[in-house]
Structures are given as C-alpha cells and as structure tokens.
Amino acid sequence: MSVAWYRHLNETVGAVLLDSQAIRARVGELGAQIAHDYQGKNLHLVAILKGACIFFSDLIRSIDLGLTTDFIAVGSYGESTLSTGEVRLLKDLDESIEGRDVLLVEDILDTGLTLHYLLQNLESRSPRSLKVVALLNKPSRRKITVPVDYVGFEVPDRFVIGYGLDYDQRYRNLPDIRVLQLGGGST
Ligand code: IMP
Ligand code: MG
C-alpha cells in the first residue's frame, strides 16, 4: 500500500515495525489462547475505541467460543503523541457487565493511565472477572503499573501508526504497523 497520501503534512511514515502477516499470526495465537482460557465462561469483550477497533474485529473472529461484545470510548486532553494523564469517558458501555467475564481490548499500553482509569471504573461495576488484552506494549513509558493479561507485541519507545492506531485520526487504515516521524524529512 502506498503511504504517500499525506505528503503535504510535516509527518513521515517510517519503517514497518510489524507487518500484516506477523500481526495476523499473533492475533490468531492470542485468540486461541483466549478461547482456551475462557472455556465455560461468560466471555464479554469490550473494545476501547477507536484505536482497538481493527485489532478487536480480527481478534473476535479468531476466538472459537460464544462471546458478546461492547464498546467504550475514552479520550485524554492534550497533544496527540503525549498522554496528559487526564482521562475522560466519551462513550460508556451499552450493557451492564455485572457477573460477566470481561476482557478489555486495547490497542497499545503506553503510560498506563488510560487502562488504570478504565480498570478502576469497570471494577466498580462488579464483573465476575476483568482482564486486559493489549496488542502492543510500550513498557518504557509506563507511569503507573497496570495488570495486562495478554500482550501481542512489545514495542520500543517510538510513536507507531497503522492497524487502527492513529496520529490525529490519520493512518488507522494502514495494514502494517509503522513508525511515525514528526518534523518531515525524506522517506
Ligand atoms: P496510555 O494512557 O498512555 O497508556 O495511552 C494509551 C493510548 O494512547 C492508546 O490507547 C493510544 O490511543 C494512545 N497511544 C499511545 N502510544 C501510541 C502510539 O505509539 N501510537 C498511537 N497511539 C498511541
Ligand atoms: Mg489514539
């Protein structure tokens, strides 16, 4: 796929970090592991919008179990590449999670502030269990410890885009996960 659409912007779409084949293979492994772990349970997958939506749609199709889904949206104030720590709920769940085995689906775990907020918020609603699957983990920037039960890939301290991950709402449609360089330069 061409990555030249936004050449007018001061952003450079950099090297592929994880290609679509590697992502597909890993998502399949995660789905198999989750299906194994949740046999006989009341699996309810909650996607954190919007970044996790593409991961979520692939992941649920790789889980060979009956399951239900819901969506929640959070945002933080401030710059697009930095988490300010202020998290706000933009869209709540449609359904109650009381008594359900909830698995939160996140695109990337960075400072941990988003998940920390969501775990506290959801725990207070009495799910039977509450776990987290994150496609990517950027441990170098963690500000707060959060329990993460399933991780797709560990990534270095770079800003990444594609496969649902955005910069200012752009690049979510890239099939591979790539590094974004700000400040222009040649590709
Ligand atoms: P945290 O609260 O710092 O853990 O931030 C998590 C959220 O920040 C993710 O759900 C992403 O939306 C966003 N984020 C963090 N790092 C990146 C990145 O490298 N690329 C795109 N989005 C990111
Ligand atoms: Mg985002």
Side-chain angles (χ1 to χ4, degrees):
M1 183 183 261
S2 157
V3 287
W5 321 297
Y6 301 121
R7 196 133 285 160
H8 60 290
L9 297 173
N10 206 21
E11 299 161 15
T12 303
V13 173
V16 172
L17 198 63
L18 298 162
D19 67 26
S20 57
Q21 240 183 311
I23 297 169
R24 194 177 315 122
R26 185 69 186 123
V27 171
E29 287 174 3
L30 288 171
Q33 182 69 52
I34 290 164
H36 174 266
D37 295 351
Y38 281 86
Q39 265 174 51
K41 294 194 174 160
N42 189 8
L43 177 58
H44 188 61
L45 279 136
V46 172
I48 305 173
L49 296 174
K50 304 171 211 167
C53 64
I54 293 183
F55 172 45
F56 183 80
S57 65
D58 284 343
L59 181 67
I60 62 173
R61 286 177 290 174
S62 74
I63 299 174
D64 190 11
L65 273 187
L67 57 82
T68 51
T69 59
D70 205 346
F71 298 87
I72 197 165
V74 289
S76 56
Y77 300 94
E79 292 175 48
S80 306
T81 57
L82 293 174
S83 295
T84 57
E86 271 184 89
V87 183
R88 60 194 169 131
L89 198 58
L90 301 177
K91 182 223 169 286
D92 203 352
L93 298 173
D94 290 339
E95 291 176 28
S96 165
I97 55 170
E98 196 178 333
R100 293 174 131 166
D101 294 300
V102 176
L103 183 57
L104 257 183
V105 183
E106 175 64 307
D107 54 355
I108 182 166
L109 183 52
D110 186 20
T111 63
L113 294 165
T114 305
L115 265 182
H116 176 77
Y117 167 84
L118 273 178
L119 286 172
Q120 280 196 323
N121 182 304
L122 298 184
E123 198 63 73
S124 72
R125 307 183 196 191
S126 309
R128 187 160 71 172
S129 64
L130 180 57
K131 291 190 174 184
V132 174
V133 52
L135 177 66
L136 306 177
N137 183 26
K138 216 195 268 183
S140 54
R141 291 193 3 116
R142 197 76 84 253
K143 284 186 183 158
I144 191 160
T145 307
V146 282
V148 54
D149 303 278
Y150 306 92
V151 171
F153 302 93
E154 304 271 319
V155 294
D157 186 11
R158 307 291 301 274
F159 196 82
V160 294
I161 51 168
Y163 196 70
L165 291 139
D166 74 304
Y167 177 68
D168 272 355
Q169 304 305 328
R170 295 187 292 275
Y171 307 108
R172 292 194 199 275
N173 57 324
L174 292 177
D176 304 316
I177 292 175
R178 291 168 176 264
V179 172
L180 183 75
Q181 285 142 26
L182 295 175
S186 57
T187 25

